[in-house]
Structure formats: structure tokens, C-alpha cells
Amino acid sequence: MKVLTKTSELREALAQRPRGTVGLVPTMGALHNGHRSLIERCRRECDTVVVTDFVNPTQFNDKNDLRNYPRTLESDCLLAEAAGADILFAPTVEEVYPEPDNRTFPLGGVGEVMEGASRPGHFNGVCQVVSRLFVMTNPDRAYFGEKDFQQIAVIKAMVRLEGFKIQIVECPIVREADGLALSSRNRLLDAPHRTAAPHIFEVLSAAQQKVGELSPSRLEAWVTGEIERNPLLKVVYFNIVDSLSMQRVGAWDDATAVQGCITVQAGAIRLIDNIKLK
Ligand code: AMP
């Protein structure tokens, strides 16, 4: 596996690869088995596998979060190589943004709710960096995790806006044995909050059994109440949404795929998760 930091090196390495499909797995590093599952899938489906490892400042609306974000390049290289990556691209901020990026992406409704509402500017920053990585690598396919369910809808909207001919591949959430969705931020949880965190998925799983019995808005309230029974967990939002538009649904309707999307504040750490409800 080649570890590269310059865009020119990346372009050269890609030009030298044998013909075939290129797959891209964009990450912010601190790689774990969730990332591994994306890289392994990309390896199975593409001739060249590029993993990017870049903590993108433009998607952080909270300076402390950016400062504290874990950075573990050495172990990331080991994991990416073991999972089958050909290239790990770990550029500096100056390399990705030689000049400030002032673009705004008119994402419409998918970008305005949930993470869009509670982290202003976050999705615009995600679109800035992912569109740059798409131009740099020119992939046939790009792999994203359903852990960031709304992000996938945002990326698809950006791909339509920019006219990229790239297939967006959605990969299932990888969880710890106790149900907690793997996240680079989990390592920042202190012991009491780490012990509390699996309660989120326990309640989401129980919510699946209540579809139909409770209306969507009652189920939203039920999930919030059940999670907050644990005083260490504070629900930022739990929205039951149409899986395509990300807008809240008023009723259960057989024709609409429905997802429950949640963000929980566990002390200083924000945890996000979601579950298919219909
Ligand atoms: P991040 O490094 O957190 O920006 O994540 C990079 C990619 O890995 C995104 O597409 C995430 O959705 C995906 N990802 C992160 N955690 C998981 C997980 N537990 N299961 C599946 N995919 C994940």
C-alpha cells in the first residue's frame, strides 16, 4: 500500500495503476472495523482501492470537537493495508484547500433537518471535501456507511448537483458486541458514558417492535423518554423520517421506507445512530 500526502502523487499513482475501476473510501481516520468493512467491500468490488484519511476542518462547527478529534495515522495505515487498500491518501489541510473554499451547496430539504439543523455548516463542509476528493481520485464508486444515514442523502444530492458520474455505495452499520455503533468518537467516551451508550441501540431495537402500535410522533417521544431514563444520555433529536427525503413522517404508510435517526449527547461526546423502522 502506498501512503501519499500530495495530490500530485495521488494523481501519478492512479495514472500508473492498471486499467479498471477505482473505488474511493473517504474517512477522517481513527479507523475502526466500521471503516474496515467499507474498505473490504471496496476491495471486493473495485480494481483499485483508495482510502482517504483527512480530518476536514470545514465540516466542524465546533472548534473543540475539531481539536479533540482522534488522529491515529500509524494504526490507520496498518488497518487500511490489512483491509486491502492500494493507496492511503493523508493530505494536509493546505493540500486539500490551497485557497479557502467558499462554495455553498443548495442541498434542499435533505440538508436542512437533523444534523443539518443542529450542526450549521456541517453538511456544506462535507460536500466541499467530498467533491474535492471526487475530483482528485475520479472514482467509479465511492463507499459510505449507513451509520451516517443523512450524510448519504446529502452526498447523493451533491453528486446530482455537480453532475458526478460516481456510484454511491451504501454499507451497513457495524456495531460493538453490545450494540453501540462503532465510531471514531467512541474512544473519547469516559467509562460511565461508555457503559451507558449501548442503551441507545437497545431502545432503537425496542422501537422497531412498536411500529404501527404507536404513531410516529408518539414513538419519537417514547424513544426519547426511554433513552433519557439513563441520566448520562441526553437526546438531541430523534426523528422518524422518510428514508429518501429525510423529512418526518406523520403516519406509517406501506409505500414509504422509514428510518429512525438519533443523536445523543453522552457527556461531551455526540453519538449518532439510526435504525430501519419500515
Ligand atoms: P468518518 O471517518 O467517521 O467520517 O467515517 C468515514 C466513513 O465510514 C463514513 O462513510 C461513515 O459512515 C463510515 N462509518 C463510520 N462508522 C461506521 C460504522 N460503525 N459502520 C459502518 N460505517 C461506518
PDB file of all heavy atoms in Angstrom, residues 132-156:
ATOM      1  N   ARG A 132     -14.112  17.619  -3.566  1.00  0.00           N
ATOM      2  CA  ARG A 132     -12.676  17.745  -3.893  1.00  0.00           C
ATOM      3  C   ARG A 132     -12.027  16.359  -4.016  1.00  0.00           C
ATOM      4  O   ARG A 132     -11.229  16.110  -4.929  1.00  0.00           O
ATOM      5  CB  ARG A 132     -11.959  18.549  -2.805  1.00  0.00           C
ATOM      6  CG  ARG A 132     -12.157  20.031  -2.990  1.00  0.00           C
ATOM      7  CD  ARG A 132     -11.748  20.841  -1.789  1.00  0.00           C
ATOM      8  NE  ARG A 132     -12.102  22.222  -2.069  1.00  0.00           N
ATOM      9  CZ  ARG A 132     -11.226  23.161  -2.449  1.00  0.00           C
ATOM     10  NH1 ARG A 132      -9.937  22.888  -2.522  1.00  0.00           N
ATOM     11  NH2 ARG A 132     -11.634  24.365  -2.741  1.00  0.00           N
ATOM     12  N   LEU A 133     -12.362  15.462  -3.085  1.00  0.00           N
ATOM     13  CA  LEU A 133     -11.780  14.109  -3.150  1.00  0.00           C
ATOM     14  C   LEU A 133     -12.256  13.386  -4.411  1.00  0.00           C
ATOM     15  O   LEU A 133     -11.503  12.620  -5.023  1.00  0.00           O
ATOM     16  CB  LEU A 133     -12.143  13.314  -1.890  1.00  0.00           C
ATOM     17  CG  LEU A 133     -11.580  13.894  -0.584  1.00  0.00           C
ATOM     18  CD1 LEU A 133     -12.159  13.144   0.625  1.00  0.00           C
ATOM     19  CD2 LEU A 133     -10.047  13.832  -0.549  1.00  0.00           C
ATOM     20  N   PHE A 134     -13.496  13.635  -4.813  1.00  0.00           N
ATOM     21  CA  PHE A 134     -14.017  13.021  -6.045  1.00  0.00           C
ATOM     22  C   PHE A 134     -13.223  13.525  -7.262  1.00  0.00           C
ATOM     23  O   PHE A 134     -12.878  12.755  -8.148  1.00  0.00           O
ATOM     24  CB  PHE A 134     -15.506  13.353  -6.228  1.00  0.00           C
ATOM     25  CG  PHE A 134     -16.449  12.510  -5.393  1.00  0.00           C
ATOM     26  CD1 PHE A 134     -15.982  11.524  -4.532  1.00  0.00           C
ATOM     27  CD2 PHE A 134     -17.826  12.704  -5.481  1.00  0.00           C
ATOM     28  CE1 PHE A 134     -16.858  10.756  -3.770  1.00  0.00           C
ATOM     29  CE2 PHE A 134     -18.703  11.930  -4.734  1.00  0.00           C
ATOM     30  CZ  PHE A 134     -18.231  10.964  -3.875  1.00  0.00           C
ATOM     31  N   VAL A 135     -12.953  14.818  -7.291  1.00  0.00           N
ATOM     32  CA  VAL A 135     -12.195  15.367  -8.433  1.00  0.00           C
ATOM     33  C   VAL A 135     -10.773  14.807  -8.430  1.00  0.00           C
ATOM     34  O   VAL A 135     -10.230  14.414  -9.466  1.00  0.00           O
ATOM     35  CB  VAL A 135     -12.195  16.914  -8.397  1.00  0.00           C
ATOM     36  CG1 VAL A 135     -11.223  17.484  -9.424  1.00  0.00           C
ATOM     37  CG2 VAL A 135     -13.608  17.448  -8.637  1.00  0.00           C
ATOM     38  N   MET A 136     -10.159  14.719  -7.240  1.00  0.00           N
ATOM     39  CA  MET A 136      -8.762  14.237  -7.159  1.00  0.00           C
ATOM     40  C   MET A 136      -8.628  12.781  -7.582  1.00  0.00           C
ATOM     41  O   MET A 136      -7.640  12.402  -8.196  1.00  0.00           O
ATOM     42  CB  MET A 136      -8.244  14.351  -5.724  1.00  0.00           C
ATOM     43  CG  MET A 136      -7.995  15.759  -5.253  1.00  0.00           C
ATOM     44  SD  MET A 136      -7.558  15.668  -3.491  1.00  0.00           S
ATOM     45  CE  MET A 136      -7.760  17.360  -3.018  1.00  0.00           C
ATOM     46  N   THR A 137      -9.619  11.942  -7.206  1.00  0.00           N
ATOM     47  CA  THR A 137      -9.454  10.498  -7.449  1.00  0.00           C
ATOM     48  C   THR A 137     -10.255  10.012  -8.652  1.00  0.00           C
ATOM     49  O   THR A 137      -9.978   8.930  -9.162  1.00  0.00           O
ATOM     50  CB  THR A 137      -9.889   9.669  -6.219  1.00  0.00           C
ATOM     51  OG1 THR A 137     -11.132  10.163  -5.751  1.00  0.00           O
ATOM     52  CG2 THR A 137      -8.884   9.750  -5.112  1.00  0.00           C
ATOM     53  N   ASN A 138     -11.272  10.776  -9.059  1.00  0.00           N
ATOM     54  CA  ASN A 138     -12.128  10.386 -10.171  1.00  0.00           C
ATOM     55  C   ASN A 138     -12.572   8.918 -10.067  1.00  0.00           C
ATOM     56  O   ASN A 138     -12.340   8.115 -10.981  1.00  0.00           O
ATOM     57  CB  ASN A 138     -11.377  10.639 -11.488  1.00  0.00           C
ATOM     58  CG  ASN A 138     -12.303  10.532 -12.675  1.00  0.00           C
ATOM     59  OD1 ASN A 138     -13.516  10.683 -12.536  1.00  0.00           O
ATOM     60  ND2 ASN A 138     -11.753  10.236 -13.842  1.00  0.00           N
ATOM     61  N   PRO A 139     -13.213   8.550  -8.968  1.00  0.00           N
ATOM     62  CA  PRO A 139     -13.551   7.136  -8.765  1.00  0.00           C
ATOM     63  C   PRO A 139     -14.781   6.713  -9.569  1.00  0.00           C
ATOM     64  O   PRO A 139     -15.586   7.566  -9.967  1.00  0.00           O
ATOM     65  CB  PRO A 139     -13.880   7.083  -7.270  1.00  0.00           C
ATOM     66  CG  PRO A 139     -14.460   8.428  -6.977  1.00  0.00           C
ATOM     67  CD  PRO A 139     -13.707   9.397  -7.869  1.00  0.00           C
ATOM     68  N   ASP A 140     -14.916   5.399  -9.785  1.00  0.00           N
ATOM     69  CA  ASP A 140     -16.151   4.859 -10.357  1.00  0.00           C
ATOM     70  C   ASP A 140     -17.192   4.688  -9.256  1.00  0.00           C
ATOM     71  O   ASP A 140     -18.386   4.849  -9.495  1.00  0.00           O
ATOM     72  CB  ASP A 140     -15.862   3.497 -11.011  1.00  0.00           C
ATOM     73  CG  ASP A 140     -14.859   3.653 -12.129  1.00  0.00           C
ATOM     74  OD1 ASP A 140     -15.272   4.051 -13.232  1.00  0.00           O
ATOM     75  OD2 ASP A 140     -13.642   3.432 -11.890  1.00  0.00           O
ATOM     76  N   ARG A 141     -16.719   4.310  -8.069  1.00  0.00           N
ATOM     77  CA  ARG A 141     -17.635   4.087  -6.939  1.00  0.00           C
ATOM     78  C   ARG A 141     -17.051   4.729  -5.692  1.00  0.00           C
ATOM     79  O   ARG A 141     -15.824   4.763  -5.520  1.00  0.00           O
ATOM     80  CB  ARG A 141     -17.809   2.592  -6.653  1.00  0.00           C
ATOM     81  CG  ARG A 141     -18.297   1.810  -7.838  1.00  0.00           C
ATOM     82  CD  ARG A 141     -18.760   0.407  -7.433  1.00  0.00           C
ATOM     83  NE  ARG A 141     -19.074  -0.329  -8.641  1.00  0.00           N
ATOM     84  CZ  ARG A 141     -18.253  -1.233  -9.192  1.00  0.00           C
ATOM     85  NH1 ARG A 141     -17.124  -1.569  -8.598  1.00  0.00           N
ATOM     86  NH2 ARG A 141     -18.589  -1.816 -10.329  1.00  0.00           N
ATOM     87  N   ALA A 142     -17.945   5.184  -4.820  1.00  0.00           N
ATOM     88  CA  ALA A 142     -17.489   5.703  -3.523  1.00  0.00           C
ATOM     89  C   ALA A 142     -18.359   5.071  -2.445  1.00  0.00           C
ATOM     90  O   ALA A 142     -19.576   4.920  -2.619  1.00  0.00           O
ATOM     91  CB  ALA A 142     -17.598   7.221  -3.481  1.00  0.00           C
ATOM     92  N   TYR A 143     -17.707   4.696  -1.337  1.00  0.00           N
ATOM     93  CA  TYR A 143     -18.338   3.880  -0.293  1.00  0.00           C
ATOM     94  C   TYR A 143     -18.590   4.720   0.956  1.00  0.00           C
ATOM     95  O   TYR A 143     -17.681   5.374   1.468  1.00  0.00           O
ATOM     96  CB  TYR A 143     -17.425   2.679   0.023  1.00  0.00           C
ATOM     97  CG  TYR A 143     -17.362   1.725  -1.148  1.00  0.00           C
ATOM     98  CD1 TYR A 143     -16.596   2.044  -2.271  1.00  0.00           C
ATOM     99  CD2 TYR A 143     -18.123   0.563  -1.171  1.00  0.00           C
ATOM    100  CE1 TYR A 143     -16.580   1.208  -3.378  1.00  0.00           C
ATOM    101  CE2 TYR A 143     -18.109  -0.284  -2.267  1.00  0.00           C
ATOM    102  CZ  TYR A 143     -17.341   0.048  -3.368  1.00  0.00           C
ATOM    103  OH  TYR A 143     -17.332  -0.771  -4.479  1.00  0.00           O
ATOM    104  N   PHE A 144     -19.852   4.649   1.433  1.00  0.00           N
ATOM    105  CA  PHE A 144     -20.245   5.409   2.619  1.00  0.00           C
ATOM    106  C   PHE A 144     -21.031   4.499   3.563  1.00  0.00           C
ATOM    107  O   PHE A 144     -21.723   3.579   3.112  1.00  0.00           O
ATOM    108  CB  PHE A 144     -21.113   6.613   2.221  1.00  0.00           C
ATOM    109  CG  PHE A 144     -20.353   7.661   1.450  1.00  0.00           C
ATOM    110  CD1 PHE A 144     -20.247   7.589   0.074  1.00  0.00           C
ATOM    111  CD2 PHE A 144     -19.696   8.691   2.115  1.00  0.00           C
ATOM    112  CE1 PHE A 144     -19.520   8.540  -0.641  1.00  0.00           C
ATOM    113  CE2 PHE A 144     -18.959   9.651   1.414  1.00  0.00           C
ATOM    114  CZ  PHE A 144     -18.876   9.568   0.039  1.00  0.00           C
ATOM    115  N   GLY A 145     -20.932   4.776   4.858  1.00  0.00           N
ATOM    116  CA  GLY A 145     -21.605   3.948   5.855  1.00  0.00           C
ATOM    117  C   GLY A 145     -22.989   4.487   6.205  1.00  0.00           C
ATOM    118  O   GLY A 145     -23.192   5.702   6.309  1.00  0.00           O
ATOM    119  N   GLU A 146     -23.924   3.560   6.406  1.00  0.00           N
ATOM    120  CA  GLU A 146     -25.282   3.954   6.811  1.00  0.00           C
ATOM    121  C   GLU A 146     -25.321   4.492   8.237  1.00  0.00           C
ATOM    122  O   GLU A 146     -26.337   5.026   8.670  1.00  0.00           O
ATOM    123  CB  GLU A 146     -26.241   2.772   6.662  1.00  0.00           C
ATOM    124  CG  GLU A 146     -26.553   2.487   5.207  1.00  0.00           C
ATOM    125  CD  GLU A 146     -27.389   1.244   4.992  1.00  0.00           C
ATOM    126  OE1 GLU A 146     -27.543   0.450   5.950  1.00  0.00           O
ATOM    127  OE2 GLU A 146     -27.872   1.063   3.865  1.00  0.00           O
ATOM    128  N   LYS A 147     -24.226   4.334   8.955  1.00  0.00           N
ATOM    129  CA  LYS A 147     -24.153   4.959  10.288  1.00  0.00           C
ATOM    130  C   LYS A 147     -24.469   6.454  10.174  1.00  0.00           C
ATOM    131  O   LYS A 147     -25.139   7.027  11.018  1.00  0.00           O
ATOM    132  CB  LYS A 147     -22.753   4.739  10.844  1.00  0.00           C
ATOM    133  CG  LYS A 147     -22.269   5.774  11.800  1.00  0.00           C
ATOM    134  CD  LYS A 147     -22.191   5.232  13.172  1.00  0.00           C
ATOM    135  CE  LYS A 147     -21.762   6.237  14.191  1.00  0.00           C
ATOM    136  NZ  LYS A 147     -20.997   7.360  13.701  1.00  0.00           N
ATOM    137  N   ASP A 148     -23.963   7.081   9.107  1.00  0.00           N
ATOM    138  CA  ASP A 148     -24.251   8.495   8.845  1.00  0.00           C
ATOM    139  C   ASP A 148     -25.340   8.534   7.772  1.00  0.00           C
ATOM    140  O   ASP A 148     -25.083   8.866   6.610  1.00  0.00           O
ATOM    141  CB  ASP A 148     -22.973   9.207   8.402  1.00  0.00           C
ATOM    142  CG  ASP A 148     -21.908   9.124   9.484  1.00  0.00           C
ATOM    143  OD1 ASP A 148     -21.985   9.896  10.435  1.00  0.00           O
ATOM    144  OD2 ASP A 148     -21.028   8.241   9.397  1.00  0.00           O
ATOM    145  N   PHE A 149     -26.540   8.155   8.194  1.00  0.00           N
ATOM    146  CA  PHE A 149     -27.631   7.893   7.243  1.00  0.00           C
ATOM    147  C   PHE A 149     -27.984   9.141   6.434  1.00  0.00           C
ATOM    148  O   PHE A 149     -28.121   9.090   5.213  1.00  0.00           O
ATOM    149  CB  PHE A 149     -28.860   7.399   8.027  1.00  0.00           C
ATOM    150  CG  PHE A 149     -29.927   6.840   7.157  1.00  0.00           C
ATOM    151  CD1 PHE A 149     -29.802   5.563   6.614  1.00  0.00           C
ATOM    152  CD2 PHE A 149     -31.054   7.580   6.844  1.00  0.00           C
ATOM    153  CE1 PHE A 149     -30.781   5.038   5.791  1.00  0.00           C
ATOM    154  CE2 PHE A 149     -32.042   7.064   6.021  1.00  0.00           C
ATOM    155  CZ  PHE A 149     -31.907   5.790   5.498  1.00  0.00           C
ATOM    156  N   GLN A 150     -28.105  10.266   7.120  1.00  0.00           N
ATOM    157  CA  GLN A 150     -28.475  11.506   6.427  1.00  0.00           C
ATOM    158  C   GLN A 150     -27.355  11.951   5.488  1.00  0.00           C
ATOM    159  O   GLN A 150     -27.610  12.518   4.417  1.00  0.00           O
ATOM    160  CB  GLN A 150     -28.767  12.593   7.468  1.00  0.00           C
ATOM    161  CG  GLN A 150     -29.341  13.864   6.874  1.00  0.00           C
ATOM    162  CD  GLN A 150     -29.580  14.925   7.931  1.00  0.00           C
ATOM    163  OE1 GLN A 150     -29.229  14.755   9.100  1.00  0.00           O
ATOM    164  NE2 GLN A 150     -30.176  16.037   7.529  1.00  0.00           N
ATOM    165  N   GLN A 151     -26.107  11.670   5.880  1.00  0.00           N
ATOM    166  CA  GLN A 151     -24.960  12.076   5.054  1.00  0.00           C
ATOM    167  C   GLN A 151     -25.050  11.443   3.666  1.00  0.00           C
ATOM    168  O   GLN A 151     -24.673  12.063   2.666  1.00  0.00           O
ATOM    169  CB  GLN A 151     -23.660  11.669   5.747  1.00  0.00           C
ATOM    170  CG  GLN A 151     -22.415  11.939   4.933  1.00  0.00           C
ATOM    171  CD  GLN A 151     -21.145  11.725   5.731  1.00  0.00           C
ATOM    172  OE1 GLN A 151     -20.657  12.634   6.377  1.00  0.00           O
ATOM    173  NE2 GLN A 151     -20.621  10.512   5.702  1.00  0.00           N
ATOM    174  N   ILE A 152     -25.540  10.194   3.596  1.00  0.00           N
ATOM    175  CA  ILE A 152     -25.637   9.528   2.292  1.00  0.00           C
ATOM    176  C   ILE A 152     -26.606  10.296   1.392  1.00  0.00           C
ATOM    177  O   ILE A 152     -26.323  10.537   0.210  1.00  0.00           O
ATOM    178  CB  ILE A 152     -26.057   8.054   2.457  1.00  0.00           C
ATOM    179  CG1 ILE A 152     -24.934   7.286   3.159  1.00  0.00           C
ATOM    180  CG2 ILE A 152     -26.389   7.436   1.107  1.00  0.00           C
ATOM    181  CD1 ILE A 152     -25.218   5.819   3.394  1.00  0.00           C
ATOM    182  N   ALA A 153     -27.742  10.730   1.953  1.00  0.00           N
ATOM    183  CA  ALA A 153     -28.710  11.504   1.156  1.00  0.00           C
ATOM    184  C   ALA A 153     -28.076  12.822   0.707  1.00  0.00           C
ATOM    185  O   ALA A 153     -28.302  13.283  -0.416  1.00  0.00           O
ATOM    186  CB  ALA A 153     -29.969  11.758   1.974  1.00  0.00           C
ATOM    187  N   VAL A 154     -27.279  13.416   1.576  1.00  0.00           N
ATOM    188  CA  VAL A 154     -26.605  14.680   1.249  1.00  0.00           C
ATOM    189  C   VAL A 154     -25.586  14.455   0.124  1.00  0.00           C
ATOM    190  O   VAL A 154     -25.511  15.233  -0.836  1.00  0.00           O
ATOM    191  CB  VAL A 154     -25.931  15.252   2.518  1.00  0.00           C
ATOM    192  CG1 VAL A 154     -24.883  16.294   2.176  1.00  0.00           C
ATOM    193  CG2 VAL A 154     -26.986  15.833   3.459  1.00  0.00           C
ATOM    194  N   ILE A 155     -24.814  13.394   0.227  1.00  0.00           N
ATOM    195  CA  ILE A 155     -23.810  13.100  -0.819  1.00  0.00           C
ATOM    196  C   ILE A 155     -24.502  12.860  -2.157  1.00  0.00           C
ATOM    197  O   ILE A 155     -24.054  13.346  -3.205  1.00  0.00           O
ATOM    198  CB  ILE A 155     -22.953  11.855  -0.428  1.00  0.00           C
ATOM    199  CG1 ILE A 155     -22.157  12.111   0.850  1.00  0.00           C
ATOM    200  CG2 ILE A 155     -22.057  11.415  -1.582  1.00  0.00           C
ATOM    201  CD1 ILE A 155     -21.050  13.108   0.737  1.00  0.00           C
ATOM    202  N   LYS A 156     -25.614  12.129  -2.123  1.00  0.00           N
ATOM    203  CA  LYS A 156     -26.324  11.874  -3.386  1.00  0.00           C
ATOM    204  C   LYS A 156     -26.842  13.183  -3.982  1.00  0.00           C
ATOM    205  O   LYS A 156     -26.807  13.371  -5.199  1.00  0.00           O
ATOM    206  CB  LYS A 156     -27.485  10.901  -3.157  1.00  0.00           C
ATOM    207  CG  LYS A 156     -27.017   9.472  -2.931  1.00  0.00           C
ATOM    208  CD  LYS A 156     -28.209   8.568  -2.735  1.00  0.00           C
ATOM    209  CE  LYS A 156     -27.787   7.122  -2.660  1.00  0.00           C
ATOM    210  NZ  LYS A 156     -28.919   6.255  -2.273  1.00  0.00           N
TER     211      LYS A 156
END
